[in-house]
Coordinates of all heavy atoms in Angstrom, one line a residue:
M140 N 0.8 -1.2 0.0 CA 0.0 0.0 0.0 C 0.9 1.2 0.0 O 1.8 1.3 0.8 CB -0.9 0.0 1.2 CG -1.8 1.2 1.3 SD -3.0 0.9 2.6 CE -4.2 2.1 2.1
P141 N 0.6 2.2 -0.9 CA 1.5 3.4 -1.0 C 1.3 4.3 0.2 O 0.2 4.4 0.8 CB 1.0 4.1 -2.3 CG -0.3 3.5 -2.6 CD -0.4 2.2 -2.0
T142 N 2.3 4.9 0.6 CA 2.3 5.8 1.8 C 1.7 7.1 1.3 O 1.5 7.4 0.1 CB 3.7 6.1 2.4 OG1 4.5 6.7 1.4 CG2 4.4 4.8 2.7
Y143 N 1.4 8.0 2.3 CA 0.8 9.3 2.0 C 1.7 10.1 1.1 O 1.3 10.8 0.2 CB 0.6 10.0 3.4 CG -0.1 11.3 3.2 CD1 -1.4 11.4 2.9 CD2 0.6 12.5 3.5 CE1 -2.0 12.7 2.7 CE2 0.0 13.7 3.3 CZ -1.3 13.8 3.0 OH -1.9 15.0 2.8
D144 N 3.0 10.1 1.4 CA 4.0 10.9 0.6 C 4.1 10.4 -0.9 O 4.1 11.2 -1.8 CB 5.4 10.8 1.2 CG 5.5 11.6 2.4 OD1 4.7 12.6 2.6 OD2 6.4 11.3 3.3
E145 N 4.0 9.0 -1.0 CA 4.0 8.5 -2.4 C 2.8 8.9 -3.2 O 2.8 9.2 -4.3 CB 4.1 7.0 -2.3 CG 5.5 6.5 -1.8 CD 5.5 5.0 -1.6 OE1 4.4 4.4 -1.5 OE2 6.6 4.4 -1.5
R146 N 1.6 8.9 -2.5 CA 0.4 9.3 -3.1 C 0.4 10.8 -3.5 O 0.0 11.2 -4.6 CB -0.8 9.1 -2.2 CG -1.2 7.6 -2.2 CD -2.4 7.3 -1.4 NE -2.2 7.7 0.0 CZ -3.1 7.7 0.9 NH1 -4.4 7.3 0.6 NH2 -2.8 7.9 2.2
L147 N 1.0 11.6 -2.6 CA 1.2 13.0 -3.0 C 2.1 13.2 -4.2 O 1.9 14.1 -5.0 CB 1.7 13.8 -1.8 CG 0.7 14.2 -0.7 CD1 1.4 14.9 0.5 CD2 -0.4 15.0 -1.3
R148 N 3.2 12.5 -4.2 CA 4.1 12.6 -5.4 C 3.4 12.1 -6.6 O 3.6 12.8 -7.7 CB 5.4 11.8 -5.1 CG 6.5 12.6 -4.4 CD 7.7 11.7 -4.3 NE 7.3 10.7 -3.4 CZ 8.0 10.2 -2.3 NH1 9.1 10.7 -2.1 NH2 7.6 9.3 -1.5
D149 N 2.7 11.1 -6.6 CA 1.9 10.6 -7.7 C 0.9 11.7 -8.2 O 0.8 12.0 -9.4 CB 1.2 9.3 -7.5 CG 2.1 8.2 -7.3 OD1 3.3 8.3 -7.7 OD2 1.7 7.1 -6.7
L150 N 0.2 12.3 -7.3 CA -0.7 13.4 -7.6 C 0.0 14.6 -8.2 O -0.5 15.2 -9.2 CB -1.5 13.8 -6.3 CG -2.5 14.9 -6.5 CD1 -3.6 14.4 -7.4 CD2 -3.1 15.2 -5.1
E151 N 1.2 14.9 -7.6 CA 2.0 16.0 -8.2 C 2.4 15.7 -9.6 O 2.4 16.6 -10.5 CB 3.1 16.3 -7.3 CG 4.0 17.5 -7.8 CD 5.2 17.7 -6.9 OE1 5.5 16.9 -6.0 OE2 5.9 18.7 -7.2
E152 N 2.9 14.5 -9.8 CA 3.3 14.1 -11.2 C 2.2 14.2 -12.2 O 2.3 14.6 -13.3 CB 4.0 12.7 -11.1 CG 4.6 12.3 -12.4 CD 5.7 13.3 -12.9 OE1 6.5 13.8 -12.0 OE2 5.8 13.5 -14.1
Q153 N 1.0 13.7 -11.8 CA -0.2 13.7 -12.6 C -0.5 15.2 -13.0 O -0.9 15.5 -14.1 CB -1.3 13.0 -12.0 CG -2.6 13.0 -12.9 CD -2.4 12.1 -14.1 OE1 -1.6 11.1 -14.1 NE2 -3.0 12.5 -15.2
L154 N -0.5 16.1 -12.0 CA -0.8 17.5 -12.2 C 0.2 18.1 -13.2 O -0.1 18.9 -14.1 CB -0.8 18.3 -10.9 CG -1.1 19.7 -11.0 CD1 -2.5 20.0 -11.5 CD2 -0.9 20.4 -9.6
R155 N 1.5 17.8 -13.0 CA 2.5 18.3 -13.9 C 2.3 17.8 -15.3 O 2.5 18.5 -16.3 CB 3.9 17.9 -13.5 CG 4.4 18.7 -12.3 CD 5.9 18.5 -12.2 NE 6.4 19.1 -10.9 CZ 6.5 20.5 -10.7 NH1 6.3 21.3 -11.7 NH2 6.9 20.9 -9.6
H156 N 1.8 16.6 -15.5 CA 1.5 16.0 -16.8 C 0.3 16.7 -17.4 O 0.3 17.0 -18.6 CB 1.3 14.5 -16.7 CG 1.0 13.8 -18.0 ND1 -0.2 13.7 -18.4 CD2 1.9 13.3 -18.9 CE1 -0.2 13.1 -19.6 NE2 1.1 12.9 -19.9
D157 N -0.8 16.9 -16.6 CA -2.0 17.4 -17.2 C -1.9 18.9 -17.5 O -2.4 19.3 -18.5 CB -3.1 17.3 -16.2 CG -3.6 15.8 -16.0 OD1 -3.2 15.0 -16.9 OD2 -4.2 15.5 -15.0
D158 N -1.3 19.7 -16.7 CA -1.2 21.2 -16.9 C 0.1 21.7 -16.3 O 0.2 22.1 -15.2 CB -2.4 21.8 -16.2 CG -2.6 23.3 -16.6 OD1 -1.7 23.8 -17.4 OD2 -3.6 23.9 -16.3
P159 N 1.2 21.6 -17.1 CA 2.5 22.0 -16.6 C 2.6 23.4 -16.2 O 3.3 23.8 -15.2 CB 3.5 21.6 -17.7 CG 2.7 21.3 -18.9 CD 1.2 21.1 -18.4
G160 N 1.9 24.3 -16.9 CA 2.0 25.7 -16.5 C 1.4 26.0 -15.1 O 1.9 26.8 -14.3
F161 N 0.3 25.4 -14.9 CA -0.4 25.5 -13.6 C 0.5 24.9 -12.4 O 0.6 25.5 -11.4 CB -1.8 24.8 -13.6 CG -2.5 24.8 -12.3 CD1 -3.1 26.0 -11.8 CD2 -2.7 23.7 -11.5 CE1 -3.7 26.1 -10.6 CE2 -3.3 23.7 -10.3 CZ -3.9 24.9 -9.9
A162 N 1.1 23.8 -12.7 CA 1.9 23.2 -11.7 C 3.2 24.0 -11.4 O 3.6 24.2 -10.2 CB 2.4 21.8 -12.1
E163 N 3.7 24.6 -12.4 CA 4.9 25.5 -12.2 C 4.5 26.7 -11.5 O 5.3 27.1 -10.6 CB 5.5 25.8 -13.6 CG 6.8 26.6 -13.5 CD 7.9 25.8 -13.0 OE1 7.9 24.6 -13.1 OE2 8.8 26.4 -12.3
A164 N 3.4 27.3 -11.8 CA 2.9 28.5 -11.0 C 2.7 28.2 -9.6 O 3.0 29.0 -8.7 CB 1.7 29.0 -11.7
M165 N 2.1 27.0 -9.3 CA 1.9 26.6 -7.9 C 3.2 26.4 -7.1 O 3.3 26.8 -6.0 CB 1.1 25.3 -7.8 CG -0.4 25.5 -8.2 SD -1.3 26.5 -7.1 CE -1.4 25.5 -5.7
S166 N 4.2 25.9 -7.8 CA 5.5 25.6 -7.1 C 6.2 27.0 -6.9 O 7.0 27.1 -5.9 CB 6.4 24.7 -7.9 OG 6.7 25.2 -9.1
D167 N 6.0 28.0 -7.8 CA 6.6 29.3 -7.6 C 5.8 30.1 -6.6 O 6.3 31.2 -6.1 CB 6.6 30.1 -8.9 CG 7.5 29.5 -9.9 OD1 8.4 28.7 -9.5 OD2 7.4 29.8 -11.1
G168 N 4.7 29.7 -6.2 CA 3.9 30.5 -5.2 C 3.0 31.5 -5.8 O 2.4 32.4 -5.1
T169 N 2.8 31.5 -7.1 CA 2.0 32.5 -7.8 C 1.0 31.7 -8.6 O 1.1 31.6 -9.9 CB 2.8 33.4 -8.7 OG1 3.6 32.6 -9.6 CG2 3.7 34.3 -7.9
P170 N -0.1 31.2 -8.0 CA -1.0 30.3 -8.7 C -1.8 31.1 -9.8 O -2.0 32.3 -9.7 CB -1.9 29.8 -7.6 CG -1.8 30.8 -6.5 CD -0.4 31.3 -6.6
R171 N -2.1 30.4 -10.9 CA -3.0 30.9 -11.9 C -4.1 29.9 -12.1 O -4.1 28.8 -11.6 CB -2.2 31.1 -13.2 CG -1.7 29.8 -13.9 CD -1.0 30.1 -15.1 NE -0.9 28.9 -15.9 CZ -0.3 28.9 -17.1 NH1 0.2 29.9 -17.6 NH2 -0.3 27.7 -17.8
S172 N -5.1 30.4 -12.8 CA -6.3 29.5 -12.9 C -6.0 28.3 -13.7 O -5.2 28.3 -14.7 CB -7.4 30.3 -13.6 OG -7.1 30.8 -14.8
P173 N -6.7 27.2 -13.5 CA -6.5 26.0 -14.2 C -6.9 26.2 -15.7 O -7.7 27.1 -16.0 CB -7.4 24.9 -13.5 CG -7.6 25.5 -12.2 CD -7.6 27.0 -12.3
R174 N -6.5 25.3 -16.5 CA -6.7 25.3 -18.0 C -8.2 25.4 -18.3 O -8.7 26.1 -19.2 CB -6.2 24.1 -18.6 CG -6.3 24.1 -20.1 CD -5.8 22.9 -20.8 NE -4.3 22.9 -20.6 CZ -3.6 21.8 -20.2 NH1 -4.2 20.6 -20.1 NH2 -2.3 21.9 -20.0
E175 N -9.1 24.8 -17.5 CA -10.5 24.8 -17.8 C -11.1 26.1 -17.6 O -12.2 26.4 -18.2 CB -11.2 23.8 -16.8 CG -10.9 22.3 -17.1 CD -9.6 21.9 -16.3 OE1 -9.1 22.7 -15.5 OE2 -9.2 20.8 -16.5
Y176 N -10.5 27.0 -16.9 CA -11.1 28.3 -16.6 C -10.4 29.5 -17.4 O -10.8 30.6 -17.2 CB -11.1 28.6 -15.1 CG -12.0 27.6 -14.4 CD1 -11.4 26.7 -13.5 CD2 -13.3 27.5 -14.6 CE1 -12.1 25.7 -12.9 CE2 -14.1 26.6 -13.9 CZ -13.5 25.7 -13.1 OH -14.2 24.8 -12.4
R177 N -9.5 29.2 -18.2 CA -8.8 30.2 -19.0 C -9.7 30.4 -20.3 O -9.9 29.4 -21.0 CB -7.4 29.8 -19.4 CG -6.5 29.9 -18.1 CD -5.1 29.6 -18.5 NE -4.6 28.6 -17.5 CZ -3.9 27.6 -17.8 NH1 -3.4 27.4 -19.0 NH2 -3.5 26.7 -16.9
R178 N -10.0 31.6 -20.6 CA -10.9 31.9 -21.7 C -10.3 32.7 -22.8 O -11.0 33.4 -23.6 CB -12.2 32.7 -21.2 CG -12.8 32.0 -20.0 CD -14.0 31.2 -20.4 NE -14.8 30.8 -19.3 CZ -14.7 29.6 -18.7 NH1 -13.9 28.7 -19.2 NH2 -15.5 29.3 -17.7
R179 N -9.0 32.8 -22.9 CA -8.3 33.6 -23.9 C -8.8 33.3 -25.3 O -9.1 34.1 -26.1 CB -6.8 33.5 -23.8 CG -6.0 34.4 -24.7 CD -4.6 34.3 -24.4 NE -4.3 34.6 -23.0 CZ -3.3 34.0 -22.4 NH1 -2.5 33.1 -23.0 NH2 -3.1 34.2 -21.1
N180 N -8.8 32.0 -25.7 CA -9.2 31.6 -27.0 C -10.6 31.9 -27.3 O -11.0 32.2 -28.4 CB -8.9 30.1 -27.2 CG -7.4 29.8 -27.3 OD1 -6.6 30.7 -27.7 ND2 -7.0 28.6 -27.1
A181 N -11.5 31.7 -26.3 CA -12.9 32.0 -26.4 C -13.1 33.5 -26.8 O -13.9 33.8 -27.7 CB -13.7 31.7 -25.2
W182 N -12.4 34.4 -26.1 CA -12.5 35.8 -26.4 C -12.0 36.2 -27.7 O -12.6 37.0 -28.5 CB -11.8 36.7 -25.3 CG -12.5 36.7 -24.0 CD1 -12.2 36.2 -22.8 CD2 -13.7 37.4 -23.7 NE1 -13.1 36.4 -21.9 CE2 -14.1 37.2 -22.4 CE3 -14.6 38.2 -24.5 CZ2 -15.2 37.8 -21.8 CZ3 -15.7 38.7 -24.0 CH2 -16.0 38.5 -22.6
L183 N -10.9 35.5 -28.1 CA -10.3 35.8 -29.5 C -11.3 35.4 -30.6 O -11.6 36.1 -31.5 CB -9.0 35.0 -29.6 CG -8.4 35.0 -31.0 CD1 -7.8 36.4 -31.3 CD2 -7.3 34.0 -31.1
W184 N -11.8 34.2 -30.5 CA -12.8 33.7 -31.5 C -14.1 34.5 -31.5 O -14.7 34.7 -32.5 CB -13.1 32.2 -31.3 CG -11.9 31.4 -31.9 CD1 -11.1 30.6 -31.1 CD2 -11.5 31.3 -33.2 NE1 -10.1 30.1 -32.0 CE2 -10.4 30.5 -33.2 CE3 -12.0 31.8 -34.4 CZ2 -9.7 30.1 -34.4 CZ3 -11.3 31.5 -35.6 CH2 -10.2 30.7 -35.6
L185 N -14.5 34.9 -30.3 CA -15.7 35.8 -30.3 C -15.5 37.1 -31.0 O -16.3 37.6 -31.7 CB -16.1 36.0 -28.8 CG -17.4 36.8 -28.6 CD1 -18.6 36.1 -29.2 CD2 -17.6 37.1 -27.1
A186 N -14.3 37.7 -30.8 CA -14.0 39.0 -31.4 C -13.9 38.8 -33.0 O -14.4 39.6 -33.7 CB -12.6 39.5 -30.9
V187 N -13.3 37.6 -33.4 CA -13.2 37.4 -34.8 C -14.6 37.2 -35.4 O -14.9 37.7 -36.5 CB -12.3 36.1 -35.1 CG1 -12.4 35.6 -36.5 CG2 -10.9 36.4 -34.7
G188 N -15.4 36.4 -34.7 CA -16.8 36.2 -35.2 C -17.6 37.5 -35.3 O -18.3 37.7 -36.3
L189 N -17.5 38.3 -34.3 CA -18.2 39.6 -34.3 C -17.7 40.6 -35.3 O -18.5 41.3 -35.9 CB -18.2 40.2 -32.9 CG -19.0 39.4 -31.8 CD1 -18.9 40.1 -30.5 CD2 -20.5 39.3 -32.2
A190 N -16.4 40.5 -35.5 CA -15.8 41.4 -36.6 C -16.3 40.9 -38.0 O -16.6 41.8 -38.8 CB -14.3 41.3 -36.5
A191 N -16.3 39.6 -38.2 CA -16.9 39.1 -39.5 C -18.3 39.4 -39.6 O -18.8 39.8 -40.7 CB -16.6 37.6 -39.6
L192 N -19.1 39.4 -38.5 CA -20.5 39.7 -38.6 C -20.7 41.2 -38.9 O -21.5 41.5 -39.8 CB -21.2 39.4 -37.2 CG -22.6 39.8 -37.1 CD1 -23.5 39.0 -38.1 CD2 -23.1 39.5 -35.7
G193 N -19.9 42.1 -38.3 CA -20.0 43.5 -38.5 C -19.6 43.8 -39.9 O -20.3 44.6 -40.6
M194 N -18.6 43.2 -40.4 CA -18.1 43.5 -41.8 C -19.2 43.0 -42.8 O -19.5 43.6 -43.8 CB -16.8 42.8 -42.1 CG -15.6 43.5 -41.5 SD -14.0 42.7 -41.7 CE -14.1 42.1 -43.4
G195 N -19.8 41.8 -42.5 CA -20.8 41.3 -43.4 C -22.0 42.2 -43.4 O -22.6 42.4 -44.5
I196 N -22.4 42.7 -42.3 CA -23.5 43.7 -42.2 C -23.2 44.9 -43.0 O -24.0 45.4 -43.8 CB -23.9 44.0 -40.8 CG1 -24.6 42.7 -40.2 CG2 -24.9 45.1 -40.7 CD1 -24.8 42.8 -38.7
A197 N -22.0 45.5 -42.8 CA -21.6 46.7 -43.5 C -21.5 46.5 -45.0 O -21.9 47.4 -45.8 CB -20.2 47.2 -42.9
M198 N -21.0 45.4 -45.4 CA -20.9 45.1 -46.9 C -22.1 44.5 -47.5 O -22.3 44.5 -48.7 CB -19.7 44.1 -47.1 CG -18.4 44.7 -46.7 SD -17.0 43.5 -46.8 CE -17.4 42.5 -48.2
G199 N -23.1 44.1 -46.7 CA -24.3 43.5 -47.2 C -24.0 42.1 -47.8 O -24.6 41.7 -48.8
H200 N -23.1 41.3 -47.3 CA -22.7 40.1 -47.8 C -23.2 39.0 -46.9 O -22.8 38.8 -45.8 CB -21.2 40.0 -47.9 CG -20.6 38.9 -48.8 ND1 -20.5 37.6 -48.3 CD2 -20.3 38.9 -50.1 CE1 -20.0 36.9 -49.3 NE2 -19.9 37.6 -50.4
G201 N -24.2 38.2 -47.4 CA -24.9 37.2 -46.6 C -24.0 36.1 -46.1 O -24.1 35.6 -45.0
L202 N -23.0 35.6 -46.9 CA -22.2 34.5 -46.5 C -21.3 35.0 -45.4 O -21.0 34.2 -44.4 CB -21.4 34.1 -47.7 CG -20.6 32.8 -47.5 CD1 -21.5 31.6 -47.1 CD2 -19.8 32.4 -48.8
L203 N -20.8 36.2 -45.4 CA -19.9 36.7 -44.3 C -20.7 36.9 -43.0 O -20.2 36.6 -41.9 CB -19.3 38.0 -44.7 CG -18.1 38.5 -43.9 CD1 -17.0 37.5 -43.8 CD2 -17.5 39.8 -44.5
I204 N -22.0 37.3 -43.2 CA -22.9 37.4 -42.0 C -23.1 36.0 -41.4 O -23.0 35.8 -40.1 CB -24.2 38.0 -42.4 CG1 -24.0 39.5 -42.8 CG2 -25.2 37.9 -41.2 CD1 -25.3 40.1 -43.3
A205 N -23.4 35.0 -42.2 CA -23.6 33.7 -41.7 C -22.3 33.1 -41.1 O -22.4 32.5 -40.0 CB -24.1 32.8 -42.8
G206 N -21.2 33.3 -41.7 CA -19.9 32.8 -41.1 C -19.6 33.5 -39.8 O -19.2 32.8 -38.9
G207 N -19.9 34.8 -39.7 CA -19.6 35.5 -38.4 C -20.5 35.0 -37.3 O -20.1 34.8 -36.2
L208 N -21.8 34.7 -37.7 CA -22.7 34.2 -36.7 C -22.3 32.8 -36.2 O -22.4 32.5 -35.0 CB -24.1 34.1 -37.2 CG -24.9 35.5 -37.3 CD1 -26.2 35.3 -38.1 CD2 -25.1 36.0 -36.0
V209 N -21.8 32.0 -37.1 CA -21.4 30.6 -36.8 C -20.2 30.7 -35.9 O -20.1 30.0 -34.8 CB -21.1 29.8 -38.0 CG1 -20.4 28.5 -37.7 CG2 -22.4 29.5 -38.7
V210 N -19.2 31.5 -36.2 CA -17.9 31.6 -35.4 C -18.3 32.2 -34.0 O -17.8 31.7 -33.0 CB -16.9 32.4 -36.1 CG1 -15.7 32.7 -35.2 CG2 -16.4 31.7 -37.4
A211 N -19.1 33.2 -34.0 CA -19.5 33.8 -32.7 C -20.3 32.8 -31.8 O -20.0 32.7 -30.6 CB -20.3 35.0 -32.9
G212 N -21.1 32.0 -32.4 CA -21.8 31.0 -31.7 C -20.9 29.9 -31.2 O -21.1 29.4 -30.0
A213 N -20.0 29.5 -32.0 CA -19.0 28.5 -31.5 C -18.1 29.0 -30.4 O -17.8 28.3 -29.4 CB -18.1 28.0 -32.7
A214 N -17.8 30.3 -30.5 CA -17.0 30.9 -29.4 C -17.7 31.0 -28.1 O -17.2 30.8 -27.0 CB -16.5 32.3 -29.9
A215 N -19.0 31.3 -28.3 CA -19.9 31.4 -27.0 C -19.9 30.0 -26.3 O -20.0 30.0 -25.1 CB -21.3 31.9 -27.4
H216 N -19.9 29.0 -27.1 CA -19.9 27.6 -26.5 C -18.6 27.4 -25.7 O -18.6 26.6 -24.7 CB -20.0 26.6 -27.7 CG -20.0 25.2 -27.2 ND1 -21.0 24.6 -26.5 CD2 -19.0 24.2 -27.3 CE1 -20.6 23.4 -26.2 NE2 -19.4 23.1 -26.7
L217 N -17.5 28.0 -26.1 CA -16.3 27.8 -25.4 C -16.3 28.4 -24.0 O -15.5 28.1 -23.1 CB -15.1 28.4 -26.2 CG -14.7 27.8 -27.5 CD1 -13.7 28.6 -28.2 CD2 -14.3 26.3 -27.3
F218 N -17.2 29.3 -23.7 CA -17.4 29.9 -22.4 C -18.0 29.0 -21.4 O -18.0 29.3 -20.2 CB -18.1 31.3 -22.5 CG -17.3 32.4 -23.0 CD1 -17.5 32.8 -24.3 CD2 -16.4 33.1 -22.3 CE1 -16.8 33.8 -24.9 CE2 -15.7 34.1 -22.8 CZ -15.8 34.5 -24.1
D219 N -18.6 27.9 -21.8 CA -19.3 27.0 -20.9 C -18.4 26.2 -20.0 O -17.6 25.4 -20.5 CB -20.2 26.1 -21.7 CG -21.0 25.2 -20.9 OD1 -21.2 25.4 -19.7 OD2 -21.5 24.2 -21.4
P220 N -18.4 26.4 -18.7 CA -17.5 25.7 -17.8 C -17.8 24.2 -17.7 O -17.0 23.4 -17.3 CB -17.6 26.4 -16.5 CG -18.9 27.0 -16.5 CD -19.2 27.4 -17.9
Q221 N -19.0 23.8 -18.1 CA -19.4 22.4 -18.0 C -19.3 21.6 -19.3 O -19.7 20.5 -19.4 CB -20.9 22.4 -17.6 CG -21.2 23.0 -16.3 CD -20.5 22.4 -15.1 OE1 -20.4 21.2 -15.1 NE2 -20.0 23.1 -14.1
R222 N -18.6 22.2 -20.3 CA -18.5 21.5 -21.6 C -17.7 20.2 -21.5 O -17.9 19.3 -22.3 CB -18.0 22.4 -22.7 CG -16.5 22.7 -22.5 CD -16.1 23.7 -23.6 NE -14.6 23.9 -23.6 CZ -14.0 24.8 -22.8 NH1 -14.7 25.6 -22.0 NH2 -12.7 24.9 -22.8
G223 N -16.8 20.0 -20.5 CA -16.0 18.8 -20.4 C -16.9 17.6 -20.0 O -16.5 16.5 -20.2
R224 N -18.0 17.9 -19.4 CA -18.9 16.8 -18.9 C -19.4 15.9 -20.1 O -19.7 14.8 -19.9 CB -20.0 17.3 -18.1 CG -19.6 17.8 -16.7 CD -20.8 18.1 -15.9 NE -20.3 18.8 -14.7 CZ -20.2 18.2 -13.5 NH1 -20.3 16.9 -13.4 NH2 -19.8 18.9 -12.5
L225 N -19.5 16.6 -21.2 CA -20.0 15.8 -22.4 C -19.0 14.7 -22.9 O -19.4 13.8 -23.5 CB -20.2 16.8 -23.6 CG -21.3 17.9 -23.4 CD1 -21.3 18.8 -24.5 CD2 -22.7 17.2 -23.2
H226 N -17.8 14.9 -22.5 CA -16.7 14.0 -22.9 C -16.3 13.1 -21.8 O -15.2 12.5 -21.8 CB -15.6 14.7 -23.5 CG -15.9 15.5 -24.7 ND1 -16.4 15.0 -25.9 CD2 -16.0 16.9 -24.9 CE1 -16.7 16.0 -26.7 NE2 -16.5 17.1 -26.1
G227 N -17.1 13.1 -20.7 CA -16.7 12.2 -19.6 C -15.8 12.7 -18.6 O -15.4 12.1 -17.6
R228 N -15.3 14.0 -18.8 CA -14.4 14.6 -17.8 C -15.2 15.4 -16.8 O -16.2 16.0 -17.1 CB -13.4 15.5 -18.5 CG -12.5 14.8 -19.4 CD -11.6 15.8 -20.1 NE -12.4 16.8 -20.8 CZ -12.1 17.3 -21.9 NH1 -11.0 17.1 -22.5 NH2 -12.9 18.2 -22.5
D229 N -14.9 15.3 -15.5 CA -15.6 16.0 -14.5 C -14.9 17.3 -14.2 O -13.9 17.4 -13.6 CB -15.6 15.2 -13.2 CG -16.6 15.8 -12.2 OD1 -17.4 16.6 -12.6 OD2 -16.4 15.4 -11.0
I230 N -15.5 18.4 -14.7 CA -15.0 19.8 -14.5 C -15.9 20.4 -13.5 O -17.1 20.6 -13.7 CB -14.9 20.6 -15.8 CG1 -14.0 19.9 -16.8 CG2 -14.5 22.0 -15.5 CD1 -14.0 20.5 -18.1
P231 N -15.4 20.9 -12.3 CA -16.2 21.5 -11.3 C -16.8 22.8 -11.8 O -16.2 23.5 -12.7 CB -15.3 21.8 -10.1 CG -13.9 21.7 -10.7 CD -14.0 20.9 -11.9
S232 N -18.0 23.2 -11.3 CA -18.6 24.4 -11.7 C -17.9 25.6 -11.2 O -17.2 25.6 -10.2 CB -20.1 24.5 -11.2 OG -20.1 24.5 -9.8
A233 N -18.0 26.7 -11.9 CA -17.3 27.9 -11.6 C -18.2 28.9 -10.8 O -18.6 29.9 -11.2 CB -16.8 28.6 -12.8
R234 N -18.5 28.5 -9.6 CA -19.4 29.3 -8.7 C -18.6 30.2 -7.8 O -17.6 30.0 -7.4 CB -20.3 28.5 -7.9 CG -21.3 27.8 -8.8 CD -22.3 27.0 -7.9 NE -23.1 26.2 -8.8 CZ -24.4 26.2 -8.7 NH1 -25.0 26.9 -7.8 NH2 -25.1 25.5 -9.5

């Protein structure tokens, strides 16, 4: 049976494997949010989608409007903190 220290080392190694940036920040004493709660890509894609939507409206181009709406809708889906549950991963809620 593994000791308490061995279990902690295994847990630390698993954390370093899953999210090396988060593990490094924890060891430095400056924690950052886990990967599941970082929304940089979602904001980027939302801005791209809204820019395409705005350009499509300004130019009167239906395909660009539709593309902008699709990209903005897909980006909005990235903001959902529970999206990992669909794939069997348990991501805690962000309350």
